[in-house]
Amino acid sequence: MKHFGFGACLLAAVQSTFALSNSEENVPVRPRSFSACLLVKDDNHLLDEWIAYHYHTLPLRHLVVAVDPDSITTPEDLLKKWEKFTELETMLWTDRDYRSAEDLTETVIKKHKALAQNDTVLLLKEHRVRQRNFYGHCINHFKKTGQAWVTLIDTDEFVAPNESYIFSSKPQEQKLSHFISENHEYFDKTPCFPMARTLFGPRVDATEGNDYYFPAYFRTLEYFYHDAYGEKSENGYLKVMVDVRKFTFKDLDLENIISGPHRPLEKCVMPDYYHSPGKDSHSVLRVHHYLGSKEEYFRRNDARRDIAIYDRKADSSSRFGPNIVLKSW
Protein backbone atom coordinates (compact mmCIF):
# COMPACT_ATOMS: atom_id res chain seq x y z
CA MET A 1 0.00 0.00 0.00
CA LYS A 2 1.28 3.42 -0.92
CA HIS A 3 1.46 6.08 1.77
CA PHE A 4 1.12 9.66 0.62
CA GLY A 5 2.06 12.81 2.49
CA PHE A 6 -0.59 15.05 3.96
CA GLY A 7 -0.42 17.61 1.16
CA ALA A 8 -0.35 15.01 -1.61
CA CYS A 9 -3.47 13.26 -0.30
CA LEU A 10 -5.23 16.58 -0.04
CA LEU A 11 -4.27 17.68 -3.53
CA ALA A 12 -5.42 14.36 -4.98
CA ALA A 13 -8.77 14.72 -3.24
CA VAL A 14 -9.23 18.28 -4.50
CA GLN A 15 -8.28 17.32 -8.06
CA SER A 16 -10.66 14.37 -8.20
CA THR A 17 -13.51 16.42 -6.75
CA PHE A 18 -12.87 19.26 -9.20
CA ALA A 19 -12.84 16.87 -12.18
CA LEU A 20 -16.07 15.24 -11.05
CA SER A 21 -17.86 18.53 -10.49
CA ASN A 22 -17.05 19.63 -14.03
CA SER A 23 -18.27 16.39 -15.58
CA GLU A 24 -21.62 16.16 -13.81
CA GLU A 25 -24.77 17.45 -15.45
CA ASN A 26 -27.18 19.91 -13.86
CA VAL A 27 -24.56 21.38 -11.52
CA PRO A 28 -25.53 24.95 -10.51
CA VAL A 29 -23.53 27.59 -12.35
CA ARG A 30 -20.71 28.80 -10.13
CA PRO A 31 -19.98 32.49 -9.68
CA ARG A 32 -16.86 33.99 -11.14
CA SER A 33 -13.77 32.71 -9.35
CA PHE A 34 -12.75 34.30 -6.06
CA SER A 35 -9.46 35.81 -4.94
CA ALA A 36 -7.87 36.18 -1.51
CA CYS A 37 -5.28 38.29 0.30
CA LEU A 38 -3.65 36.28 3.05
CA LEU A 39 -1.10 37.20 5.72
CA VAL A 40 0.86 34.26 7.15
CA LYS A 41 3.36 33.64 9.93
CA ASP A 42 4.59 30.05 10.26
CA ASP A 43 1.18 28.81 9.09
CA ASN A 44 2.25 26.01 6.74
CA HIS A 45 0.48 23.44 8.91
CA LEU A 46 -2.80 25.30 8.35
CA LEU A 47 -2.44 26.31 4.72
CA ASP A 48 -3.28 23.01 3.00
CA GLU A 49 -6.68 22.79 4.66
CA TRP A 50 -7.37 26.51 4.20
CA ILE A 51 -6.52 26.45 0.48
CA ALA A 52 -8.28 23.13 -0.18
CA TYR A 53 -11.48 24.27 1.50
CA HIS A 54 -11.72 27.62 -0.28
CA TYR A 55 -10.48 26.22 -3.61
CA HIS A 56 -13.30 23.70 -3.54
CA THR A 57 -16.09 25.83 -2.07
CA LEU A 58 -15.77 29.47 -3.22
CA PRO A 59 -14.08 28.59 -5.68
CA LEU A 60 -10.74 30.27 -4.88
CA ARG A 61 -8.50 30.62 -7.95
CA HIS A 62 -6.24 33.62 -7.21
CA LEU A 63 -4.20 34.01 -4.02
CA VAL A 64 -1.64 36.54 -2.80
CA VAL A 65 0.26 35.47 0.32
CA ALA A 66 2.40 37.87 2.36
CA VAL A 67 4.90 36.33 4.75
CA ASP A 68 5.48 37.98 8.13
CA PRO A 69 9.12 39.21 8.43
CA ASP A 70 9.44 37.30 11.72
CA SER A 71 8.26 34.04 10.20
CA ILE A 72 10.73 31.15 10.44
CA THR A 73 9.14 29.14 7.62
CA THR A 74 8.00 29.99 4.11
CA PRO A 75 5.01 28.58 2.18
CA GLU A 76 6.86 28.81 -1.15
CA ASP A 77 7.09 25.05 -1.82
CA LEU A 78 3.53 24.47 -0.65
CA LEU A 79 2.18 27.14 -3.02
CA LYS A 80 4.19 25.75 -5.93
CA LYS A 81 2.60 22.36 -5.30
CA TRP A 82 -0.87 23.84 -5.52
CA GLU A 83 -0.03 25.68 -8.73
CA LYS A 84 1.38 22.50 -10.27
CA PHE A 85 -1.62 20.27 -9.57
CA THR A 86 -4.58 22.67 -9.64
CA GLU A 87 -5.84 25.83 -11.34
CA LEU A 88 -4.84 28.03 -8.41
CA GLU A 89 -2.66 31.04 -9.28
CA THR A 90 -0.50 32.32 -6.42
CA MET A 91 1.88 35.16 -5.65
CA LEU A 92 4.24 35.22 -2.66
CA TRP A 93 5.08 38.65 -1.26
CA THR A 94 7.43 39.93 1.40
CA ASP A 95 7.17 43.34 3.08
CA ARG A 96 9.48 44.79 0.42
CA ASP A 97 6.81 44.15 -2.21
CA TYR A 98 4.34 46.58 -0.66
CA ARG A 99 6.18 48.81 1.82
CA SER A 100 8.86 51.47 1.36
CA ALA A 101 12.37 51.11 2.78
CA GLU A 102 11.73 54.10 5.07
CA ASP A 103 8.52 52.56 6.35
CA LEU A 104 10.23 49.23 7.00
CA THR A 105 13.08 50.86 8.95
CA GLU A 106 10.63 52.78 11.14
CA THR A 107 8.63 49.61 11.79
CA VAL A 108 11.72 47.65 12.88
CA ILE A 109 12.66 50.37 15.37
CA LYS A 110 9.15 50.50 16.84
CA LYS A 111 8.88 46.73 17.04
CA HIS A 112 12.18 46.37 18.92
CA LYS A 113 11.05 49.05 21.35
CA ALA A 114 7.70 47.34 21.88
CA LEU A 115 9.31 43.94 22.46
CA ALA A 116 11.81 45.39 24.92
CA GLN A 117 8.98 46.98 26.93
CA ASN A 118 6.52 44.11 26.38
CA ASP A 119 4.17 46.67 24.89
CA THR A 120 1.48 44.52 23.27
CA VAL A 121 -0.59 47.59 22.37
CA LEU A 122 2.21 48.98 20.19
CA LEU A 123 2.84 45.55 18.68
CA LEU A 124 -0.79 45.29 17.69
CA LYS A 125 -0.73 48.82 16.28
CA GLU A 126 2.26 48.01 14.09
CA HIS A 127 0.60 44.79 12.95
CA ARG A 128 -2.49 46.77 11.91
CA VAL A 129 -0.32 49.20 9.92
CA ARG A 130 1.31 46.34 8.05
CA GLN A 131 -2.07 44.67 7.55
CA ARG A 132 -3.62 47.81 6.04
CA ASN A 133 -0.66 48.28 3.70
CA PHE A 134 -0.87 44.70 2.49
CA TYR A 135 -4.63 44.70 1.97
CA GLY A 136 -4.42 48.00 0.11
CA HIS A 137 -1.78 46.80 -2.34
CA CYS A 138 -3.36 43.37 -2.69
CA ILE A 139 -6.83 44.75 -3.49
CA ASN A 140 -5.27 47.09 -6.06
CA HIS A 141 -3.42 44.15 -7.60
CA PHE A 142 -6.64 42.23 -8.09
CA LYS A 143 -8.35 45.35 -9.50
CA LYS A 144 -5.56 45.72 -12.07
CA THR A 145 -5.72 42.05 -13.06
CA GLY A 146 -9.47 42.15 -13.63
CA GLN A 147 -10.66 39.99 -10.73
CA ALA A 148 -13.96 40.30 -8.85
CA TRP A 149 -14.63 39.18 -5.27
CA VAL A 150 -11.64 39.30 -2.89
CA THR A 151 -11.76 37.75 0.59
CA LEU A 152 -9.85 39.28 3.52
CA ILE A 153 -9.58 36.63 6.21
CA ASP A 154 -6.86 34.74 8.13
CA THR A 155 -5.52 31.18 7.95
CA ASP A 156 -7.65 30.10 10.91
CA GLU A 157 -10.84 31.46 9.32
CA PHE A 158 -13.17 29.80 6.81
CA VAL A 159 -16.02 31.39 4.84
CA ALA A 160 -19.25 29.47 5.47
CA PRO A 161 -22.97 29.83 4.76
CA ASN A 162 -25.22 30.92 7.60
CA GLU A 163 -27.35 27.86 8.33
CA SER A 164 -30.37 30.13 8.75
CA TYR A 165 -30.27 30.87 5.01
CA ILE A 166 -29.79 27.28 3.84
CA PHE A 167 -32.86 25.86 2.17
CA SER A 168 -31.65 22.25 1.90
CA SER A 169 -33.03 19.78 4.45
CA LYS A 170 -29.44 18.60 4.96
CA PRO A 171 -27.33 21.76 5.37
CA GLN A 172 -24.09 19.82 5.68
CA GLU A 173 -24.57 18.65 2.07
CA GLN A 174 -24.86 22.11 0.49
CA LYS A 175 -21.65 23.50 -1.00
CA LEU A 176 -20.83 27.17 -0.53
CA SER A 177 -20.53 27.75 -4.28
CA HIS A 178 -24.06 26.39 -4.77
CA PHE A 179 -25.31 28.57 -1.93
CA ILE A 180 -23.81 31.69 -3.55
CA SER A 181 -25.30 30.78 -6.93
CA GLU A 182 -28.75 30.24 -5.44
CA ASN A 183 -28.65 33.50 -3.48
CA HIS A 184 -26.84 35.72 -5.98
CA GLU A 185 -29.15 38.68 -5.27
CA TYR A 186 -27.40 39.16 -1.93
CA PHE A 187 -24.04 39.47 -3.67
CA ASP A 188 -25.00 41.52 -6.74
CA LYS A 189 -26.24 44.57 -4.86
CA THR A 190 -23.22 45.40 -2.72
CA PRO A 191 -19.51 46.14 -3.31
CA CYS A 192 -18.61 44.97 0.20
CA PHE A 193 -20.07 41.79 1.59
CA PRO A 194 -19.91 41.66 5.41
CA MET A 195 -19.52 38.31 7.16
CA ALA A 196 -20.11 37.96 10.91
CA ARG A 197 -17.56 35.77 12.68
CA THR A 198 -18.22 32.76 14.88
CA LEU A 199 -15.47 31.46 17.17
CA PHE A 200 -15.22 27.65 17.27
CA GLY A 201 -13.58 26.23 20.38
CA PRO A 202 -11.45 23.16 21.19
CA ARG A 203 -14.33 21.01 22.44
CA VAL A 204 -14.40 17.64 20.66
CA ASP A 205 -17.40 15.32 20.79
CA ALA A 206 -16.71 11.76 19.69
CA THR A 207 -20.24 11.45 18.30
CA GLU A 208 -19.58 14.36 15.93
CA GLY A 209 -16.21 13.17 14.71
CA ASN A 210 -14.75 12.95 11.23
CA ASP A 211 -16.63 10.42 9.06
CA TYR A 212 -14.53 11.08 5.96
CA TYR A 213 -11.12 10.06 4.68
CA PHE A 214 -9.27 13.12 5.84
CA PRO A 215 -6.86 13.73 8.73
CA ALA A 216 -8.60 14.22 12.07
CA TYR A 217 -6.70 17.48 12.59
CA PHE A 218 -8.59 19.28 9.88
CA ARG A 219 -10.14 21.96 12.02
CA THR A 220 -13.26 22.17 9.88
CA LEU A 221 -13.85 18.44 10.36
CA GLU A 222 -12.96 18.23 14.02
CA TYR A 223 -14.40 21.25 15.83
CA PHE A 224 -18.18 21.77 15.69
CA TYR A 225 -18.91 23.65 18.95
CA HIS A 226 -18.89 27.42 19.00
CA ASP A 227 -19.66 30.64 20.83
CA ALA A 228 -23.03 32.37 20.91
CA TYR A 229 -24.16 34.63 18.13
CA GLY A 230 -24.31 38.24 19.21
CA GLU A 231 -22.55 40.62 21.52
CA LYS A 232 -22.11 38.33 24.55
CA SER A 233 -19.40 36.34 22.87
CA GLU A 234 -15.72 36.23 21.92
CA ASN A 235 -16.52 36.24 18.19
CA GLY A 236 -14.97 39.63 17.46
CA TYR A 237 -15.73 42.03 14.62
CA LEU A 238 -16.95 40.87 11.23
CA LYS A 239 -14.77 40.25 8.16
CA VAL A 240 -15.54 41.21 4.57
CA MET A 241 -15.31 40.29 0.92
CA VAL A 242 -15.01 43.19 -1.55
CA ASP A 243 -15.96 43.24 -5.23
CA VAL A 244 -13.13 45.28 -6.77
CA ARG A 245 -15.13 45.67 -10.01
CA LYS A 246 -17.43 48.09 -8.19
CA PHE A 247 -14.61 50.46 -7.17
CA THR A 248 -12.54 52.91 -9.19
CA PHE A 249 -8.79 53.17 -8.75
CA LYS A 250 -9.43 56.50 -7.03
CA ASP A 251 -11.65 54.68 -4.52
CA LEU A 252 -8.73 52.37 -3.82
CA ASP A 253 -6.19 55.14 -3.23
CA LEU A 254 -3.68 53.77 -0.72
CA GLU A 255 -3.06 57.04 1.10
CA ASN A 256 -6.62 57.72 2.18
CA ILE A 257 -8.93 54.81 1.69
CA ILE A 258 -7.67 51.57 3.21
CA SER A 259 -8.68 51.64 6.87
CA GLY A 260 -8.56 48.13 8.37
CA PRO A 261 -9.48 44.44 8.05
CA HIS A 262 -13.05 44.85 9.29
CA ARG A 263 -13.87 47.81 7.09
CA PRO A 264 -11.09 47.93 4.49
CA LEU A 265 -12.59 50.68 2.32
CA GLU A 266 -14.29 53.92 3.30
CA LYS A 267 -17.10 53.26 0.82
CA CYS A 268 -17.95 49.96 2.46
CA VAL A 269 -21.27 50.52 4.23
CA MET A 270 -21.27 48.28 7.26
CA PRO A 271 -24.49 46.57 8.39
CA ASP A 272 -26.15 47.44 11.68
CA TYR A 273 -24.61 44.38 13.35
CA TYR A 274 -21.17 45.94 12.91
CA HIS A 275 -22.06 48.18 15.83
CA SER A 276 -24.79 45.94 17.29
CA PRO A 277 -23.40 42.39 17.32
CA GLY A 278 -26.68 41.11 18.72
CA LYS A 279 -28.03 41.33 15.18
CA ASP A 280 -25.21 39.33 13.57
CA SER A 281 -27.50 36.36 12.92
CA HIS A 282 -28.67 38.38 9.90
CA SER A 283 -25.29 37.80 8.21
CA VAL A 284 -25.85 35.75 5.03
CA LEU A 285 -22.31 34.38 5.18
CA ARG A 286 -20.31 33.78 8.33
CA VAL A 287 -16.62 33.27 8.98
CA HIS A 288 -15.86 30.23 11.10
CA HIS A 289 -12.87 31.19 13.24
CA TYR A 290 -11.07 28.24 14.85
CA LEU A 291 -9.28 28.71 18.16
CA GLY A 292 -7.65 25.28 18.00
CA SER A 293 -6.08 23.28 20.77
CA LYS A 294 -3.84 24.86 23.39
CA GLU A 295 -0.82 23.42 21.61
CA GLU A 296 -1.92 24.93 18.30
CA TYR A 297 -2.66 28.29 19.88
CA PHE A 298 0.84 28.63 21.34
CA ARG A 299 2.61 27.15 18.34
CA ARG A 300 3.02 30.64 16.92
CA ASN A 301 5.47 32.89 18.70
CA ASP A 302 3.23 35.87 19.50
CA ALA A 303 3.69 38.13 22.50
CA ARG A 304 -0.02 39.01 22.43
CA ARG A 305 -1.09 35.44 23.30
CA ASP A 306 -1.32 34.19 26.88
CA ILE A 307 -2.98 31.36 28.77
CA ALA A 308 -5.66 33.56 30.38
CA ILE A 309 -6.89 34.74 26.98
CA TYR A 310 -6.89 31.21 25.61
CA ASP A 311 -8.81 29.75 28.56
CA ARG A 312 -11.44 32.48 28.42
CA LYS A 313 -11.99 32.01 24.70
CA ALA A 314 -11.93 28.20 24.95
CA ASP A 315 -14.67 28.20 27.59
CA SER A 316 -16.84 30.73 25.76
CA SER A 317 -16.48 29.12 22.34
CA SER A 318 -17.46 25.60 23.39
CA ARG A 319 -20.94 26.40 24.71
CA PHE A 320 -23.13 25.89 21.64
CA GLY A 321 -23.44 23.35 18.86
CA PRO A 322 -22.78 21.18 17.10
CA ASN A 323 -22.78 23.21 13.89
CA ILE A 324 -22.16 20.73 11.05
CA VAL A 325 -22.54 23.06 8.06
CA LEU A 326 -18.94 22.36 6.94
CA LYS A 327 -18.86 18.68 7.84
CA SER A 328 -18.89 17.32 4.29
CA TRP A 329 -17.15 19.98 2.23
Side-chain angles (χ1 to χ4, degrees):
M1 178 182 293
K2 292 183 178 180
H3 294 277
F4 297 95
F6 169 60
C9 289
L10 186 56
L11 284 167
V14 171
Q15 282 186 287
S16 63
T17 304
F18 180 77
L20 177 62
S21 67
N22 279 297
S23 65
E24 292 176 342
E25 296 182 357
N26 300 320
V27 174
V29 177
R30 289 189 171 190
R32 186 173 179 176
S33 60
F34 284 68
S35 307
C37 303
L38 191 65
L39 286 163
V40 300
K41 180 182 179 183
D42 295 319
D43 288 336
N44 287 0
H45 61 296
L46 302 176
L47 266 181
D48 267 326
E49 179 186 11
W50 189 94
I51 293 175
Y53 172 82
H54 291 102
Y55 181 91
H56 178 56
T57 61
L58 280 178
L60 178 68
R61 292 297 182 269
H62 311 278
L63 174 64
V64 173
V65 177
V67 181
D68 189 282
D70 294 329
S71 185
I72 299 173
T73 60
T74 174
E76 182 176 5
D77 290 341
L78 186 150
L79 296 178
K80 286 181 178 178
K81 177 179 60 179
W82 277 95
E83 285 207 326
K84 180 178 180 180
F85 291 105
T86 72
E87 296 182 344
L88 183 67
E89 297 178 355
T90 71
M91 293 186 70
L92 186 62
W93 289 0
T94 66
D95 279 22
R96 292 184 178 87
D97 291 304
Y98 59 93
R99 302 186 72 179
S100 67
E102 181 181 359
D103 186 26
L104 287 174
T105 300
E106 183 179 351
T107 296
V108 169
I109 294 173
K110 289 182 178 179
K111 184 179 290 185
H112 281 301
K113 179 181 178 180
L115 289 171
Q117 299 176 353
N118 195 28
D119 188 342
T120 56
V121 174
L122 181 56
L123 286 173
L124 179 59
K125 181 179 179 180
E126 289 305 305
H127 169 71
R128 295 301 188 205
V129 170
R130 177 172 174 268
Q131 191 177 52
R132 287 195 295 270
N133 271 276
F134 169 62
Y135 283 154
H137 282 81
C138 184
I139 290 172
N140 270 273
H141 164 74
F142 285 127
K143 172 70 174 177
K144 292 174 183 176
T145 55
Q147 304 311 321
W149 286 103
V150 181
T151 61
L152 306 174
I153 58 175
D154 298 325
T155 53
D156 55 2
E157 297 176 329
F158 296 77
V159 179
N162 183 343
E163 61 273 20
S164 299
Y165 286 85
I166 295 178
F167 305 116
S168 169
S169 59
K170 296 181 178 180
Q172 69 272 23
E173 295 181 0
Q174 182 165 357
K175 303 301 182 187
L176 183 57
S177 56
H178 297 175
F179 174 83
I180 293 173
S181 296
E182 294 169 2
N183 299 277
H184 60 86
E185 67 275 10
Y186 291 111
F187 300 86
D188 293 342
K189 64 183 180 182
T190 177
C192 304
F193 201 84
M195 303 177 290
R197 283 196 291 178
T198 305
L199 183 63
F200 281 70
R203 175 182 172 184
V204 176
D205 188 336
T207 62
E208 295 295 340
N210 176 12
D211 299 328
Y212 306 94
Y213 185 66
F214 286 101
Y217 48 85
F218 269 29
R219 294 184 174 192
T220 53
L221 302 180
E222 184 173 12
Y223 301 123
F224 302 104
Y225 290 86
H226 57 87
D227 210 336
Y229 292 166
E231 54 193 338
K232 294 182 179 179
S233 72
E234 295 285 345
N235 292 330
Y237 281 125
L238 55 80
K239 291 296 183 76
V240 298
M241 292 192 296
V242 296
D243 187 348
V244 294
R245 296 170 300 180
K246 295 183 174 73
F247 293 95
T248 66
F249 283 108
K250 185 177 181 179
D251 293 332
L252 303 179
D253 182 82
L254 295 174
E255 294 297 324
N256 305 310
I257 303 301
I258 305 301
S259 58
H262 310 291
R263 187 186 178 189
L265 300 166
E266 291 291 343
K267 287 194 173 182
C268 288
V269 178
M270 292 294 99
D272 52 5
Y273 54 82
Y274 181 78
H275 297 291
S276 301
K279 299 180 180 180
D280 74 359
S281 60
H282 300 168
S283 180
V284 177
L285 293 182
R286 302 190 71 86
V287 171
H288 289 196
H289 180 197
Y290 292 88
L291 182 65
S293 67
K294 191 175 296 184
E295 291 73 22
E296 291 172 319
Y297 182 81
F298 288 105
R299 183 170 182 168
R300 177 186 291 181
N301 182 21
D302 190 333
R304 296 169 296 164
R305 299 189 175 192
D306 65 50
I307 189 63
I309 293 175
Y310 177 85
D311 287 343
R312 186 186 75 243
K313 289 186 175 183
D315 289 342
S316 184
S317 61
S318 298
R319 297 180 292 162
F320 299 89
N323 179 320
I324 59 173
V325 169
L326 303 189
K327 191 173 182 181
S328 63
W329 65 264

